[in-house]
């Protein structure tokens, strides 16, 4: 078992979570954040693939593009599921993406399902559910929320299955580069549409009040109308771009390292193990960096996670 690669993928996942949360806490523009989250890894891994990736095969490009499409779909569905339903239960449902990928690996990849491995997977699911479980509010559209949450689950599982299938082919950098194409196009289009709408709104708000040749005053008043001081407006946008860029690079790096791990690890062990180690990492960062209270529920979840790691490590 390559411990350094496991630690690397978890470090990337935790870093992406931290910068996503920082952008949210600072009130950063989510559209700009997601655009740079897609743009920077697209450029970075695209250049790396051209320089070091070697020959781009149709199979690698297809799997990479499919992974990117599923990842973009999961991101969008997860966002809207969180927006219209309870966050904790939504996250708990999404964690059950471990089940389809485990079933796939056992049935179609011939991986053994021992009692120890099964117990480890169950404990991993329990730890993830306990960490995220919460009492739901009553005032939300349950059908719409459940559809979006289940879509997130299935798309997450599809991402994991694609990595399992493509991991033995080699060409990790090329795979990761191709995986950035669909998110870049999707979030780039969303950013462009948002920018056009904002520009149109600012023009309509200031056309009757300000001279058409006073550009600086127009921009300042537009910033004030959004509740932002003129001096702070560029800085906020800059932070959203930086946070998005770092989150994008770390997310793409996580996909690359997971791809490399899939070539030498059982998928039915890899993804549960990464999930619970990631859970512990997020817990530690939340406790010490964001000063979140370590409630009894969270501590119990960590205990289950540690037990799951021990069992999965033993079964690998």
């Amino acid at each position: 078992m390559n411990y350094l690669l496991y630690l690397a993928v978890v470090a990337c996942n935790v870093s992406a979570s931290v910068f996503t949360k920082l952008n949210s806490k600072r009130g950063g523009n989510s559209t700009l954040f997601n655009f740079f989250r897609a743009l920077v890894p697209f450029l970075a891994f695209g250049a790396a693939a051209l320089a070091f990736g070697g020959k781009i095969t149709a199979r690698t490009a297809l799997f990479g593009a499919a992974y990117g499409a599923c990842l973009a779909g999961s991101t969008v569905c997860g966002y809207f599921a969180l927006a219209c339903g309870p966050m904790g239960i939504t996250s708990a449902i999404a964690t059950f993406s471990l089940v389809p990928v485990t079933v796939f690996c056992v049935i179609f990849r011939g991986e053994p399902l021992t009692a120890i491995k099964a117990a480890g997977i169950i404990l991993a699911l329990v730890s993830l559910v306990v960490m995220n479980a919460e009492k739901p509010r009553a005032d939300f559209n349950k059908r719409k929320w459940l559809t979006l949450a289940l879509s997130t689950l299935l798309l997450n599982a599809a991402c994991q299955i694609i990595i399992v299938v493509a991991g033995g082919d080699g060409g990790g950098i090329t795979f990761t580069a191709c995986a950035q194409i669909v998110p870049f196009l999707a979030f780039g289009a969303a950013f462009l549409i948002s920018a056009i709408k904002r520009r149109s709104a600012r023009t309509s708000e200031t056309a009757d009040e300000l001279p058409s040749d006073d550009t600086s005053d127009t921009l300042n008043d537009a910033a004030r109308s959004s509740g932002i001081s003129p001096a702070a407006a560029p800085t906020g946008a800059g932070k959203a771009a930086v946070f998005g860029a770092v989150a994008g690079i770390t997310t793409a790096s996580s996909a690359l390292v997971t791809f490399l791990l899939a070539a030498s690890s059982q998928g039915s062990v890899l993804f549960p193990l990464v999930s619970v180690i990631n859970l512990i990492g997020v817990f530690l960062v939340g406790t010490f960096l964001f000063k979140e209270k370590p409630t009894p529920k969270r501590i119990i979840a960590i205990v289950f996670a540690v037990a799951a790691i021990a069992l999965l490590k033993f079964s690998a």
Side-chain angles (χ1 to χ4, degrees), residues 164-188:
V164 168
V165 175
D169 295 345
I173 294 178
T174 302
F175 172 88
T176 308
C178 292
Q180 310 309 312
I181 295 174
V182 175
F184 168 69
L185 293 175
F187 292 116

Side-chain angles (χ1 to χ4, degrees), residues 7-181:
L7 291 175
V9 70
V10 170
C12 289
N13 288 338
V14 172
S15 297
S17 298
V18 167
F19 282 95
T20 301
K21 186 162 186 172
L22 283 173
N23 186 68
S24 177
K25 287 175 73 71
R26 303 286 176 84
N29 185 307
S30 60
T31 306
L32 183 65
F33 173 86
N34 284 324
F35 172 64
F36 274 87
R37 184 173 183 163
L39 172 65
V40 173
F42 172 74
L43 295 176
F45 281 92
L50 291 175
F52 311 109
K55 184 180 179 181
I56 301 177
T57 66
R59 179 181 168 89
T60 301
L62 178 62
F63 278 131
Y67 177 89
C70 291
L71 180 63
S74 172
T75 302
V76 173
C77 289
Y79 173 82
F80 284 109
L82 291 170
C84 71
M87 182 177 71
I89 298 178
T90 301
S91 300
I93 289 176
T95 62
F96 275 82
S97 60
L98 298 177
V99 176
V101 71
T102 300
V103 172
F104 175 86
C105 290
V106 170
I107 294 177
F108 296 102
R109 307 283 291 184
E111 295 182 5
L113 183 62
T114 63
I116 294 177
K117 182 191 291 187
I121 293 170
I122 291 171
L123 283 176
L125 289 170
V126 169
S127 68
L128 294 165
V129 170
V130 169
M131 180 66 80
N132 293 294
E134 65 180 19
K135 184 178 179 180
R137 66 179 195 269
D139 56 336
F140 66 96
N141 188 328
K142 294 180 177 61
R143 178 175 295 181
K144 178 182 178 182
W145 164 76
L146 185 59
T147 300
L148 289 167
L150 291 176
S151 297
T152 305
L153 183 160
L154 294 174
L155 288 167
N156 282 343
C159 287
Q160 295 166 0
I161 290 171
I162 289 170
I163 284 184
V164 168
V165 175
D169 295 345
I173 294 178
T174 302
F175 172 88
T176 308
C178 292
Q180 310 309 312
I181 295 174

